[in-house]
Structures are given as structure tokens and as C-alpha cells.
Amino acid sequence: LAAIALAALTAAAAVDASRRRLPDELVGLGALALVPLLFTEHRSGVVLGAVLLAGPVLALHLASPERMGFGDVKAAAVLGGVVGLVDPVGSLVVLCLGAGSAAAWGLARRVPDVALGPFLVTAGAVVVVGSTFGPVAP
């Protein structure tokens, strides 16, 4: 189920990179894939991961909706749920890696606007894969 969610987010991130929009259909598919996990022993990790990743993104959206779209908030919640399956605190690592790499990319390219989705999803995939080799955070 997590692989389905991550695949849907990867497709959404590809759209975001080219069109600057995270499609609700793909993000929603990712969210639907995680729903059954809310009825298992993994629910606390899924929820905590989603809150830790989507909370700061939501705060940025509320502070500047024209800069941070609500699609980023929804995608962050789904991605946080996926990461929360392996390590909920890893969601904070994803946030730092994703935002940091997006900022570095924007500075290097000298562009004021950068689509956050591709950077968050890439960071999420790195953390999920990396967590199979050990804990993400102490």
C-alpha cells in the first residue's frame, strides 16, 4: 500500500515539475492507498508522520497561500504517512531535505519559484529506502 501511495505521489510530482500543480486525483489515490493502514497497528506511525510533515507545510500555506499551494499540504500529509510507516520522525528529515534541496535548486538556478513537490517526494523516497539500512533519526 505504501508503494502505491509513493508511486502516485511520484507521478504527481512529475506533473508538479512541469505544470506547477499537484493533481488531486494522484494525491488522492495515494491517500486512499493509506486508508487501510489506519485500521492496523501502524496507524500511529502513519498519523504522526503525516502530521509532522504536513503541519509545517500547512503553516507556510496559511502564511502565504500564493507561494505554497494546498496541493503541497495534501501531498505532504500522504508522504508523511508513508514515511511514518518506517519512522515517523523521518518525516522531519524529509521536510529538511526536501525544503533544503528546493531552496538550493532555486538559488543555483536564480529562480524565485520552485515546485516543492518533486523535492519532497524525492526526499521521502530517500528516507524510506535509507531506513531499510538503519534508523533515520536517533
Side-chain angles (χ1 to χ4, degrees):
L1 295 174
I4 293 169
L6 197 53
L9 288 176
T10 301
V15 172
D16 192 23
S18 64
R19 297 188 189 154
R20 303 296 309 257
R21 181 184 165 280
L22 286 158
D24 285 339
E25 300 81 12
L26 292 170
V27 175
L29 176 62
L32 282 175
L34 294 182
V35 168
L37 296 173
L38 297 175
F39 300 98
T40 69
E41 67 277 1
H42 302 292
R43 90 176 134 267
S44 61
V46 171
V47 171
L48 182 57
V51 168
L52 288 175
L53 186 53
V57 177
L58 175 62
L60 289 172
H61 168 71
L62 293 174
S64 184
E66 64 280 350
R67 290 289 198 193
M68 178 72 64
F70 195 66
D72 290 308
V73 178
K74 294 181 279 188
V78 175
L79 183 59
V82 171
V83 174
L85 285 170
V86 293
D87 184 2
V89 177
S91 293
L92 296 175
V93 175
V94 170
L95 182 61
C96 291
L97 285 175
S101 59
W105 174 263
L107 288 171
R109 305 274 313 221
R110 298 178 188 231
V111 293
D113 291 342
V114 176
L116 182 62
F119 293 96
L120 279 182
V121 172
T122 301
V126 166
V127 168
V128 168
V129 170
S131 70
T132 61
F133 300 106
V136 174

